[in-house]
């Protein structure tokens, strides 16, 4: 028997194709979506209203939002930064100048340089 054929008989054999991938997928952790309290919702609404007023300036924002996992329950939170191009009330999305669309129902926080100290006046964050 030639050397090459002899080596082939000792190569590993995977009896359960895809089993390792299934185990890895099961072990992968996903986070749960956070439900915002009334005060946090009010602050987020106030931020969105302010951004509507200054949208012509295409303000730079950082948005933290939930991305649902495609394969299992849960997902993860991601933060993206960019300039705000438009707020689409009908589709309920923020559209950034780079084309990124962010669902308004998935957002938990928006940061912007334009949100000054007096913007938060009257809110107690010590909960």
């Amino acid at each position: 028997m030639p050397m090459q054929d002899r080596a082939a008989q000792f190569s590993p054999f995977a009896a359960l194709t895809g089993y390792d991938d299934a185990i890895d997928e099961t072990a992968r952790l996903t986070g749960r979506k956070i439900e915002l309290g009334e005060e946090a919702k009010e602050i987020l609404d106030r931020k969105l209203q302010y951004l509507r007023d200054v949208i012509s300036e295409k303000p730079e924002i950082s948005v933290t939002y939930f991305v649902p996992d495609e394969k299992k329950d849960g997902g993860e939170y991601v933060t993206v930064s960019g300039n705000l191009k438009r707020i689409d009330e009908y589709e309920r999305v923020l559209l950034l100048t780079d084309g990124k669309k962010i669902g308004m129902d998935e957002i938990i926080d928006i940061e912007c340089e334009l949100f000054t100290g007096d913007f938060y006046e009257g809110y107690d964050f010590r909960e």
Side-chain angles (χ1 to χ4, degrees), residues 7 16 24 35-36 44 46 70 80 90 107:
L16 300 174
D24 291 343
E35 292 298 323
L36 295 178
L44 190 57
R46 188 172 176 189
E70 295 177 2
V80 295
Y90 181 73
I107 297 173

Side-chain angles (χ1 to χ4, degrees), residues 79-127:
T79 301
V80 295
S81 296
N83 293 83
L84 182 61
K85 181 178 181 180
R86 191 176 77 197
I87 299 175
D88 188 330
E89 296 292 338
Y90 181 73
E91 288 188 35
R92 297 203 39 81
V93 295
L94 301 183
L95 182 64
L96 303 182
T97 55
D98 64 0
K100 179 83 174 164
K101 287 184 177 181
I102 302 167
M104 291 171 60
D105 297 327
E106 307 299 330
I107 297 173
I108 62 163
D109 193 25
I110 302 173
E111 291 299 323
C112 180
E113 290 182 352
L114 301 175
F115 302 150
T116 59
D118 61 339
F119 184 85
Y120 297 103
E121 193 171 298
Y123 292 102
D124 184 10
F125 296 100
R126 293 174 287 165
E127 291 182 23

Side-chain angles (χ1 to χ4, degrees), residues 17-87:
T17 306
Y19 180 72
D20 289 335
D21 293 336
I23 294 294
D24 291 343
E25 177 62 24
T26 302
R28 187 173 55 87
L29 299 177
T30 57
R32 292 181 180 227
K33 186 175 179 181
I34 298 170
E35 292 298 323
L36 295 178
E38 289 305 313
E39 188 171 348
K41 286 180 185 178
E42 189 176 322
I43 293 169
L44 190 57
D45 286 344
R46 188 172 176 189
K47 288 179 178 182
L48 286 168
Q49 183 58 48
Y50 184 77
L51 290 172
R52 283 182 194 92
D53 294 342
V54 296
I55 199 139
S56 63
E57 299 174 26
K58 295 192 183 339
E60 184 172 342
I61 60 173
S62 290
V63 182
T64 302
Y65 64 102
F66 185 75
V67 178
D69 193 282
E70 295 177 2
K71 297 183 178 179
K72 57 197 295 191
D73 287 341
E76 67 178 331
Y77 281 93
V78 296
T79 301
V80 295
S81 296
N83 293 83
L84 182 61
K85 181 178 181 180
R86 191 176 77 197
I87 299 175

